[in-house]
Amino acid sequence: MTRVRLFQRDDAPAVAELIERCLREVNSRDYPAELIERMCAHFTTERLAQLAVERQVFVAEWDEVVGTVSRDGNKVFTMFVHPGAIGRGVGRRLIGHVEELAAADGFDHMETGASITGHGFYRRLGYVDVRTSDTEFGLNHIVRKPLPRQGGPGESA
């Protein structure tokens, strides 16, 4: 069973290792080596601890951390799943968690910049393409999904 919980500062080394492994073993199929190296250098233990101050960061765990996602309002960031856990519901569980939180906050949609690697995953979850964007880490597909209305003081777009 996948348990999702709030990131704690001492999770940073495990999450940094998870992200690097995912980038090198999975995303490297879609991105050049120089870009993978730049992304790995970006997601340091220190950077992850800082991100947890800037937005909500969550981890998925079994006996160890097997995934991570972060959320700022209705925006999804930093979604990674351990290569050995891909296809086992971890990503779906993480995204479902942040979608529920955003809906409870009154947002009417979720949005993210999906990597080339993750684009199909988001499409399978009901996200639709809005546009593409060039970023410092390559091409992103900006995707959006409507959320069920739950009321509350959030935004709508």
Side-chain angles (χ1 to χ4, degrees):
M1 182 72 175
T2 303
R3 178 176 160 239
V4 175
R5 64 170 174 78
L6 200 57
F7 172 94
Q8 298 169 0
R9 188 173 180 85
D10 62 349
D11 292 321
V15 173
E17 182 180 324
L18 166 94
I19 291 172
E20 181 172 351
R21 186 162 177 197
C22 189
L23 289 168
R24 293 187 189 286
E25 293 180 27
V26 181
N27 294 67
S28 62
R29 299 174 199 153
D30 299 314
Y31 291 95
E34 68 180 48
L35 194 56
I36 296 296
E37 292 304 319
R38 196 166 2 136
M39 285 190 275
C40 288
H42 177 76
F43 288 110
T44 63
T45 299
E46 297 77 21
R47 177 68 179 137
L48 292 167
Q50 179 59 41
L51 286 175
V53 172
E54 297 170 9
R55 55 189 181 228
Q56 289 182 306
V57 179
F58 300 93
V59 296
E61 59 184 5
W62 294 340
D63 293 333
E64 62 184 359
V65 173
V66 292
T68 188
V69 69
S70 63
R71 166 193 173 235
D72 185 2
N74 66 336
K75 306 286 191 269
V76 177
F77 299 95
T78 324
M79 167 68 185
F80 291 94
V81 173
H82 186 285
I86 291 172
R88 297 177 66 187
V90 174
R92 181 178 297 275
R93 176 77 179 93
L94 283 165
I95 293 299
H97 184 76
V98 295
E99 287 175 353
E100 289 172 16
L101 292 172
D105 286 346
F107 292 97
D108 67 355
H109 72 279
M110 285 303 279
E111 188 171 290
T112 192
S115 67
I116 295 167
T117 310
H119 185 232
F121 165 76
Y122 286 103
R123 299 281 310 222
R124 287 188 298 279
L125 293 182
Y127 285 75
V128 297
D129 292 322
V130 175
R131 65 185 180 282
T132 58
S133 174
D134 284 318
T135 72
E136 65 179 307
F137 298 123
L139 178 73
N140 261 345
H141 296 273
I142 308 305
V143 294
R144 181 179 287 179
K145 177 182 178 180
L147 295 173
R149 297 302 277 163
Q150 294 189 6
E155 305 172 1
S156 62

PDB file of all heavy atoms in Angstrom, residues 90-122:
ATOM      1  N   VAL A  90       1.934   4.428  -7.885  1.00  0.00           N
ATOM      2  CA  VAL A  90       2.534   5.454  -7.024  1.00  0.00           C
ATOM      3  C   VAL A  90       2.266   6.851  -7.575  1.00  0.00           C
ATOM      4  O   VAL A  90       1.823   7.743  -6.843  1.00  0.00           O
ATOM      5  CB  VAL A  90       4.054   5.220  -6.850  1.00  0.00           C
ATOM      6  CG1 VAL A  90       4.702   6.364  -6.083  1.00  0.00           C
ATOM      7  CG2 VAL A  90       4.307   3.888  -6.157  1.00  0.00           C
ATOM      8  N   GLY A  91       2.541   7.063  -8.846  1.00  0.00           N
ATOM      9  CA  GLY A  91       2.312   8.374  -9.453  1.00  0.00           C
ATOM     10  C   GLY A  91       0.848   8.771  -9.411  1.00  0.00           C
ATOM     11  O   GLY A  91       0.505   9.915  -9.076  1.00  0.00           O
ATOM     12  N   ARG A  92      -0.013   7.840  -9.715  1.00  0.00           N
ATOM     13  CA  ARG A  92      -1.461   8.083  -9.681  1.00  0.00           C
ATOM     14  C   ARG A  92      -1.885   8.487  -8.265  1.00  0.00           C
ATOM     15  O   ARG A  92      -2.681   9.391  -8.071  1.00  0.00           O
ATOM     16  CB  ARG A  92      -2.199   6.830 -10.138  1.00  0.00           C
ATOM     17  CG  ARG A  92      -3.702   6.971 -10.168  1.00  0.00           C
ATOM     18  CD  ARG A  92      -4.361   5.691 -10.684  1.00  0.00           C
ATOM     19  NE  ARG A  92      -3.997   5.381 -12.053  1.00  0.00           N
ATOM     20  CZ  ARG A  92      -4.605   5.872 -13.138  1.00  0.00           C
ATOM     21  NH1 ARG A  92      -5.611   6.682 -12.987  1.00  0.00           N
ATOM     22  NH2 ARG A  92      -4.200   5.537 -14.335  1.00  0.00           N
ATOM     23  N   ARG A  93      -1.346   7.821  -7.265  1.00  0.00           N
ATOM     24  CA  ARG A  93      -1.676   8.129  -5.866  1.00  0.00           C
ATOM     25  C   ARG A  93      -1.183   9.524  -5.478  1.00  0.00           C
ATOM     26  O   ARG A  93      -1.894  10.280  -4.816  1.00  0.00           O
ATOM     27  CB  ARG A  93      -1.074   7.058  -4.956  1.00  0.00           C
ATOM     28  CG  ARG A  93      -1.251   7.298  -3.491  1.00  0.00           C
ATOM     29  CD  ARG A  93      -2.663   6.971  -3.012  1.00  0.00           C
ATOM     30  NE  ARG A  93      -2.768   7.197  -1.604  1.00  0.00           N
ATOM     31  CZ  ARG A  93      -3.176   8.339  -1.039  1.00  0.00           C
ATOM     32  NH1 ARG A  93      -3.555   9.346  -1.786  1.00  0.00           N
ATOM     33  NH2 ARG A  93      -3.202   8.475   0.269  1.00  0.00           N
ATOM     34  N   LEU A  94       0.030   9.862  -5.877  1.00  0.00           N
ATOM     35  CA  LEU A  94       0.581  11.192  -5.566  1.00  0.00           C
ATOM     36  C   LEU A  94      -0.239  12.305  -6.220  1.00  0.00           C
ATOM     37  O   LEU A  94      -0.588  13.293  -5.570  1.00  0.00           O
ATOM     38  CB  LEU A  94       2.042  11.283  -6.017  1.00  0.00           C
ATOM     39  CG  LEU A  94       3.063  10.582  -5.128  1.00  0.00           C
ATOM     40  CD1 LEU A  94       4.388  10.434  -5.866  1.00  0.00           C
ATOM     41  CD2 LEU A  94       3.248  11.335  -3.823  1.00  0.00           C
ATOM     42  N   ILE A  95      -0.541  12.136  -7.499  1.00  0.00           N
ATOM     43  CA  ILE A  95      -1.310  13.160  -8.212  1.00  0.00           C
ATOM     44  C   ILE A  95      -2.715  13.251  -7.627  1.00  0.00           C
ATOM     45  O   ILE A  95      -3.244  14.355  -7.423  1.00  0.00           O
ATOM     46  CB  ILE A  95      -1.341  12.879  -9.729  1.00  0.00           C
ATOM     47  CG1 ILE A  95       0.060  13.051 -10.319  1.00  0.00           C
ATOM     48  CG2 ILE A  95      -2.341  13.790 -10.432  1.00  0.00           C
ATOM     49  CD1 ILE A  95       0.652  14.443 -10.178  1.00  0.00           C
ATOM     50  N   GLY A  96      -3.320  12.121  -7.324  1.00  0.00           N
ATOM     51  CA  GLY A  96      -4.642  12.137  -6.704  1.00  0.00           C
ATOM     52  C   GLY A  96      -4.633  12.904  -5.391  1.00  0.00           C
ATOM     53  O   GLY A  96      -5.571  13.646  -5.081  1.00  0.00           O
ATOM     54  N   HIS A  97      -3.571  12.760  -4.636  1.00  0.00           N
ATOM     55  CA  HIS A  97      -3.452  13.444  -3.347  1.00  0.00           C
ATOM     56  C   HIS A  97      -3.438  14.963  -3.522  1.00  0.00           C
ATOM     57  O   HIS A  97      -4.200  15.670  -2.856  1.00  0.00           O
ATOM     58  CB  HIS A  97      -2.185  12.975  -2.626  1.00  0.00           C
ATOM     59  CG  HIS A  97      -2.022  13.543  -1.265  1.00  0.00           C
ATOM     60  ND1 HIS A  97      -2.746  13.104  -0.180  1.00  0.00           N
ATOM     61  CD2 HIS A  97      -1.218  14.540  -0.808  1.00  0.00           C
ATOM     62  CE1 HIS A  97      -2.394  13.803   0.885  1.00  0.00           C
ATOM     63  NE2 HIS A  97      -1.470  14.672   0.537  1.00  0.00           N
ATOM     64  N   VAL A  98      -2.601  15.458  -4.435  1.00  0.00           N
ATOM     65  CA  VAL A  98      -2.536  16.921  -4.609  1.00  0.00           C
ATOM     66  C   VAL A  98      -3.787  17.457  -5.294  1.00  0.00           C
ATOM     67  O   VAL A  98      -4.202  18.585  -5.025  1.00  0.00           O
ATOM     68  CB  VAL A  98      -1.238  17.385  -5.315  1.00  0.00           C
ATOM     69  CG1 VAL A  98      -0.017  17.082  -4.440  1.00  0.00           C
ATOM     70  CG2 VAL A  98      -1.078  16.796  -6.699  1.00  0.00           C
ATOM     71  N   GLU A  99      -4.418  16.657  -6.145  1.00  0.00           N
ATOM     72  CA  GLU A  99      -5.685  17.083  -6.751  1.00  0.00           C
ATOM     73  C   GLU A  99      -6.763  17.237  -5.685  1.00  0.00           C
ATOM     74  O   GLU A  99      -7.527  18.215  -5.701  1.00  0.00           O
ATOM     75  CB  GLU A  99      -6.140  16.076  -7.811  1.00  0.00           C
ATOM     76  CG  GLU A  99      -5.338  16.103  -9.082  1.00  0.00           C
ATOM     77  CD  GLU A  99      -5.725  15.011 -10.071  1.00  0.00           C
ATOM     78  OE1 GLU A  99      -6.541  14.119  -9.726  1.00  0.00           O
ATOM     79  OE2 GLU A  99      -5.201  15.049 -11.190  1.00  0.00           O
ATOM     80  N   GLU A 100      -6.848  16.284  -4.760  1.00  0.00           N
ATOM     81  CA  GLU A 100      -7.826  16.369  -3.678  1.00  0.00           C
ATOM     82  C   GLU A 100      -7.604  17.618  -2.832  1.00  0.00           C
ATOM     83  O   GLU A 100      -8.561  18.299  -2.452  1.00  0.00           O
ATOM     84  CB  GLU A 100      -7.751  15.127  -2.791  1.00  0.00           C
ATOM     85  CG  GLU A 100      -8.281  13.873  -3.426  1.00  0.00           C
ATOM     86  CD  GLU A 100      -8.003  12.625  -2.588  1.00  0.00           C
ATOM     87  OE1 GLU A 100      -7.670  12.758  -1.385  1.00  0.00           O
ATOM     88  OE2 GLU A 100      -8.111  11.522  -3.145  1.00  0.00           O
ATOM     89  N   LEU A 101      -6.351  17.914  -2.515  1.00  0.00           N
ATOM     90  CA  LEU A 101      -6.049  19.102  -1.720  1.00  0.00           C
ATOM     91  C   LEU A 101      -6.443  20.380  -2.454  1.00  0.00           C
ATOM     92  O   LEU A 101      -7.034  21.290  -1.862  1.00  0.00           O
ATOM     93  CB  LEU A 101      -4.560  19.140  -1.368  1.00  0.00           C
ATOM     94  CG  LEU A 101      -4.072  18.058  -0.408  1.00  0.00           C
ATOM     95  CD1 LEU A 101      -2.556  18.094  -0.300  1.00  0.00           C
ATOM     96  CD2 LEU A 101      -4.721  18.216   0.960  1.00  0.00           C
ATOM     97  N   ALA A 102      -6.127  20.442  -3.743  1.00  0.00           N
ATOM     98  CA  ALA A 102      -6.457  21.631  -4.527  1.00  0.00           C
ATOM     99  C   ALA A 102      -7.971  21.802  -4.639  1.00  0.00           C
ATOM    100  O   ALA A 102      -8.490  22.919  -4.508  1.00  0.00           O
ATOM    101  CB  ALA A 102      -5.823  21.554  -5.917  1.00  0.00           C
ATOM    102  N   ALA A 103      -8.687  20.704  -4.871  1.00  0.00           N
ATOM    103  CA  ALA A 103     -10.147  20.782  -4.958  1.00  0.00           C
ATOM    104  C   ALA A 103     -10.730  21.245  -3.624  1.00  0.00           C
ATOM    105  O   ALA A 103     -11.635  22.087  -3.588  1.00  0.00           O
ATOM    106  CB  ALA A 103     -10.733  19.426  -5.363  1.00  0.00           C
ATOM    107  N   ALA A 104     -10.205  20.724  -2.515  1.00  0.00           N
ATOM    108  CA  ALA A 104     -10.684  21.128  -1.188  1.00  0.00           C
ATOM    109  C   ALA A 104     -10.411  22.605  -0.927  1.00  0.00           C
ATOM    110  O   ALA A 104     -11.150  23.266  -0.197  1.00  0.00           O
ATOM    111  CB  ALA A 104     -10.033  20.270  -0.112  1.00  0.00           C
ATOM    112  N   ASP A 105      -9.363  23.138  -1.561  1.00  0.00           N
ATOM    113  CA  ASP A 105      -9.038  24.566  -1.434  1.00  0.00           C
ATOM    114  C   ASP A 105      -9.862  25.421  -2.387  1.00  0.00           C
ATOM    115  O   ASP A 105      -9.697  26.640  -2.423  1.00  0.00           O
ATOM    116  CB  ASP A 105      -7.550  24.803  -1.692  1.00  0.00           C
ATOM    117  CG  ASP A 105      -6.670  24.340  -0.533  1.00  0.00           C
ATOM    118  OD1 ASP A 105      -7.210  24.079   0.567  1.00  0.00           O
ATOM    119  OD2 ASP A 105      -5.443  24.232  -0.736  1.00  0.00           O
ATOM    120  N   GLY A 106     -10.714  24.789  -3.206  1.00  0.00           N
ATOM    121  CA  GLY A 106     -11.614  25.532  -4.080  1.00  0.00           C
ATOM    122  C   GLY A 106     -11.131  25.753  -5.497  1.00  0.00           C
ATOM    123  O   GLY A 106     -11.786  26.451  -6.265  1.00  0.00           O
ATOM    124  N   PHE A 107     -10.024  25.153  -5.869  1.00  0.00           N
ATOM    125  CA  PHE A 107      -9.532  25.306  -7.244  1.00  0.00           C
ATOM    126  C   PHE A 107     -10.376  24.470  -8.193  1.00  0.00           C
ATOM    127  O   PHE A 107     -10.845  23.384  -7.825  1.00  0.00           O
ATOM    128  CB  PHE A 107      -8.057  24.902  -7.343  1.00  0.00           C
ATOM    129  CG  PHE A 107      -7.146  25.848  -6.620  1.00  0.00           C
ATOM    130  CD1 PHE A 107      -6.703  25.573  -5.341  1.00  0.00           C
ATOM    131  CD2 PHE A 107      -6.736  27.033  -7.225  1.00  0.00           C
ATOM    132  CE1 PHE A 107      -5.864  26.446  -4.661  1.00  0.00           C
ATOM    133  CE2 PHE A 107      -5.900  27.920  -6.556  1.00  0.00           C
ATOM    134  CZ  PHE A 107      -5.470  27.614  -5.276  1.00  0.00           C
ATOM    135  N   ASP A 108     -10.556  24.969  -9.407  1.00  0.00           N
ATOM    136  CA  ASP A 108     -11.386  24.239 -10.361  1.00  0.00           C
ATOM    137  C   ASP A 108     -10.573  23.423 -11.358  1.00  0.00           C
ATOM    138  O   ASP A 108     -11.137  22.699 -12.166  1.00  0.00           O
ATOM    139  CB  ASP A 108     -12.346  25.177 -11.093  1.00  0.00           C
ATOM    140  CG  ASP A 108     -11.654  26.163 -12.017  1.00  0.00           C
ATOM    141  OD1 ASP A 108     -10.398  26.211 -12.043  1.00  0.00           O
ATOM    142  OD2 ASP A 108     -12.365  26.898 -12.711  1.00  0.00           O
ATOM    143  N   HIS A 109      -9.239  23.524 -11.305  1.00  0.00           N
ATOM    144  CA  HIS A 109      -8.396  22.722 -12.191  1.00  0.00           C
ATOM    145  C   HIS A 109      -6.999  22.570 -11.601  1.00  0.00           C
ATOM    146  O   HIS A 109      -6.603  23.337 -10.727  1.00  0.00           O
ATOM    147  CB  HIS A 109      -8.304  23.346 -13.590  1.00  0.00           C
ATOM    148  CG  HIS A 109      -7.481  24.600 -13.625  1.00  0.00           C
ATOM    149  ND1 HIS A 109      -7.976  25.836 -13.249  1.00  0.00           N
ATOM    150  CD2 HIS A 109      -6.190  24.802 -13.979  1.00  0.00           C
ATOM    151  CE1 HIS A 109      -7.025  26.750 -13.386  1.00  0.00           C
ATOM    152  NE2 HIS A 109      -5.931  26.150 -13.815  1.00  0.00           N
ATOM    153  N   MET A 110      -6.275  21.571 -12.090  1.00  0.00           N
ATOM    154  CA  MET A 110      -4.850  21.389 -11.791  1.00  0.00           C
ATOM    155  C   MET A 110      -4.104  21.630 -13.085  1.00  0.00           C
ATOM    156  O   MET A 110      -4.633  21.390 -14.174  1.00  0.00           O
ATOM    157  CB  MET A 110      -4.541  19.972 -11.305  1.00  0.00           C
ATOM    158  CG  MET A 110      -4.960  19.660  -9.902  1.00  0.00           C
ATOM    159  SD  MET A 110      -4.283  20.741  -8.631  1.00  0.00           S
ATOM    160  CE  MET A 110      -2.659  20.058  -8.374  1.00  0.00           C
ATOM    161  N   GLU A 111      -2.869  22.064 -12.944  1.00  0.00           N
ATOM    162  CA  GLU A 111      -2.042  22.324 -14.116  1.00  0.00           C
ATOM    163  C   GLU A 111      -0.603  21.961 -13.793  1.00  0.00           C
ATOM    164  O   GLU A 111      -0.157  22.091 -12.650  1.00  0.00           O
ATOM    165  CB  GLU A 111      -2.139  23.811 -14.493  1.00  0.00           C
ATOM    166  CG  GLU A 111      -1.473  24.141 -15.814  1.00  0.00           C
ATOM    167  CD  GLU A 111      -1.786  25.560 -16.260  1.00  0.00           C
ATOM    168  OE1 GLU A 111      -2.946  25.820 -16.622  1.00  0.00           O
ATOM    169  OE2 GLU A 111      -0.868  26.390 -16.224  1.00  0.00           O
ATOM    170  N   THR A 112       0.116  21.496 -14.803  1.00  0.00           N
ATOM    171  CA  THR A 112       1.526  21.188 -14.622  1.00  0.00           C
ATOM    172  C   THR A 112       2.261  21.321 -15.942  1.00  0.00           C
ATOM    173  O   THR A 112       1.649  21.300 -17.014  1.00  0.00           O
ATOM    174  CB  THR A 112       1.736  19.778 -14.035  1.00  0.00           C
ATOM    175  OG1 THR A 112       3.101  19.642 -13.619  1.00  0.00           O
ATOM    176  CG2 THR A 112       1.382  18.683 -15.014  1.00  0.00           C
ATOM    177  N   GLY A 113       3.546  21.440 -15.848  1.00  0.00           N
ATOM    178  CA  GLY A 113       4.423  21.347 -17.001  1.00  0.00           C
ATOM    179  C   GLY A 113       4.959  19.933 -17.048  1.00  0.00           C
ATOM    180  O   GLY A 113       5.819  19.558 -16.252  1.00  0.00           O
ATOM    181  N   ALA A 114       4.421  19.119 -17.928  1.00  0.00           N
ATOM    182  CA  ALA A 114       4.824  17.710 -18.023  1.00  0.00           C
ATOM    183  C   ALA A 114       6.039  17.576 -18.929  1.00  0.00           C
ATOM    184  O   ALA A 114       6.072  18.122 -20.032  1.00  0.00           O
ATOM    185  CB  ALA A 114       3.673  16.876 -18.569  1.00  0.00           C
ATOM    186  N   SER A 115       7.004  16.821 -18.460  1.00  0.00           N
ATOM    187  CA  SER A 115       8.167  16.524 -19.296  1.00  0.00           C
ATOM    188  C   SER A 115       7.724  15.663 -20.475  1.00  0.00           C
ATOM    189  O   SER A 115       6.623  15.103 -20.484  1.00  0.00           O
ATOM    190  CB  SER A 115       9.218  15.767 -18.471  1.00  0.00           C
ATOM    191  OG  SER A 115       8.732  14.487 -18.116  1.00  0.00           O
ATOM    192  N   ILE A 116       8.595  15.541 -21.437  1.00  0.00           N
ATOM    193  CA  ILE A 116       8.330  14.628 -22.551  1.00  0.00           C
ATOM    194  C   ILE A 116       8.062  13.232 -21.989  1.00  0.00           C
ATOM    195  O   ILE A 116       7.126  12.543 -22.396  1.00  0.00           O
ATOM    196  CB  ILE A 116       9.520  14.595 -23.533  1.00  0.00           C
ATOM    197  CG1 ILE A 116       9.695  15.964 -24.204  1.00  0.00           C
ATOM    198  CG2 ILE A 116       9.353  13.491 -24.568  1.00  0.00           C
ATOM    199  CD1 ILE A 116      11.011  16.126 -24.949  1.00  0.00           C
ATOM    200  N   THR A 117       8.859  12.844 -21.009  1.00  0.00           N
ATOM    201  CA  THR A 117       8.754  11.516 -20.401  1.00  0.00           C
ATOM    202  C   THR A 117       7.419  11.318 -19.684  1.00  0.00           C
ATOM    203  O   THR A 117       6.811  10.252 -19.776  1.00  0.00           O
ATOM    204  CB  THR A 117       9.916  11.310 -19.406  1.00  0.00           C
ATOM    205  OG1 THR A 117      11.147  11.641 -20.057  1.00  0.00           O
ATOM    206  CG2 THR A 117       9.964   9.889 -18.898  1.00  0.00           C
ATOM    207  N   GLY A 118       6.945  12.331 -18.968  1.00  0.00           N
ATOM    208  CA  GLY A 118       5.737  12.210 -18.166  1.00  0.00           C
ATOM    209  C   GLY A 118       4.451  12.578 -18.871  1.00  0.00           C
ATOM    210  O   GLY A 118       3.360  12.386 -18.327  1.00  0.00           O
ATOM    211  N   HIS A 119       4.547  13.092 -20.094  1.00  0.00           N
ATOM    212  CA  HIS A 119       3.374  13.595 -20.799  1.00  0.00           C
ATOM    213  C   HIS A 119       2.265  12.544 -20.923  1.00  0.00           C
ATOM    214  O   HIS A 119       1.098  12.802 -20.619  1.00  0.00           O
ATOM    215  CB  HIS A 119       3.792  14.126 -22.177  1.00  0.00           C
ATOM    216  CG  HIS A 119       2.691  14.767 -22.930  1.00  0.00           C
ATOM    217  ND1 HIS A 119       2.392  14.404 -24.217  1.00  0.00           N
ATOM    218  CD2 HIS A 119       1.815  15.745 -22.605  1.00  0.00           C
ATOM    219  CE1 HIS A 119       1.375  15.139 -24.646  1.00  0.00           C
ATOM    220  NE2 HIS A 119       1.001  15.955 -23.683  1.00  0.00           N
ATOM    221  N   GLY A 120       2.607  11.352 -21.340  1.00  0.00           N
ATOM    222  CA  GLY A 120       1.610  10.297 -21.499  1.00  0.00           C
ATOM    223  C   GLY A 120       0.946   9.923 -20.180  1.00  0.00           C
ATOM    224  O   GLY A 120      -0.260   9.642 -20.143  1.00  0.00           O
ATOM    225  N   PHE A 121       1.701   9.933 -19.103  1.00  0.00           N
ATOM    226  CA  PHE A 121       1.154   9.645 -17.771  1.00  0.00           C
ATOM    227  C   PHE A 121       0.034  10.626 -17.444  1.00  0.00           C
ATOM    228  O   PHE A 121      -1.058  10.225 -17.042  1.00  0.00           O
ATOM    229  CB  PHE A 121       2.275   9.730 -16.725  1.00  0.00           C
ATOM    230  CG  PHE A 121       1.791   9.808 -15.308  1.00  0.00           C
ATOM    231  CD1 PHE A 121       1.315   8.673 -14.661  1.00  0.00           C
ATOM    232  CD2 PHE A 121       1.819  11.004 -14.620  1.00  0.00           C
ATOM    233  CE1 PHE A 121       0.866   8.752 -13.343  1.00  0.00           C
ATOM    234  CE2 PHE A 121       1.372  11.091 -13.311  1.00  0.00           C
ATOM    235  CZ  PHE A 121       0.898   9.961 -12.668  1.00  0.00           C
ATOM    236  N   TYR A 122       0.294  11.912 -17.606  1.00  0.00           N
ATOM    237  CA  TYR A 122      -0.726  12.918 -17.305  1.00  0.00           C
ATOM    238  C   TYR A 122      -1.932  12.789 -18.229  1.00  0.00           C
ATOM    239  O   TYR A 122      -3.073  12.929 -17.782  1.00  0.00           O
ATOM    240  CB  TYR A 122      -0.130  14.327 -17.375  1.00  0.00           C
ATOM    241  CG  TYR A 122       0.753  14.635 -16.202  1.00  0.00           C
ATOM    242  CD1 TYR A 122       2.141  14.603 -16.309  1.00  0.00           C
ATOM    243  CD2 TYR A 122       0.208  14.965 -14.962  1.00  0.00           C
ATOM    244  CE1 TYR A 122       2.955  14.881 -15.226  1.00  0.00           C
ATOM    245  CE2 TYR A 122       1.012  15.245 -13.871  1.00  0.00           C
ATOM    246  CZ  TYR A 122       2.385  15.201 -14.010  1.00  0.00           C
ATOM    247  OH  TYR A 122       3.186  15.472 -12.933  1.00  0.00           O
TER     248      TYR A 122
END
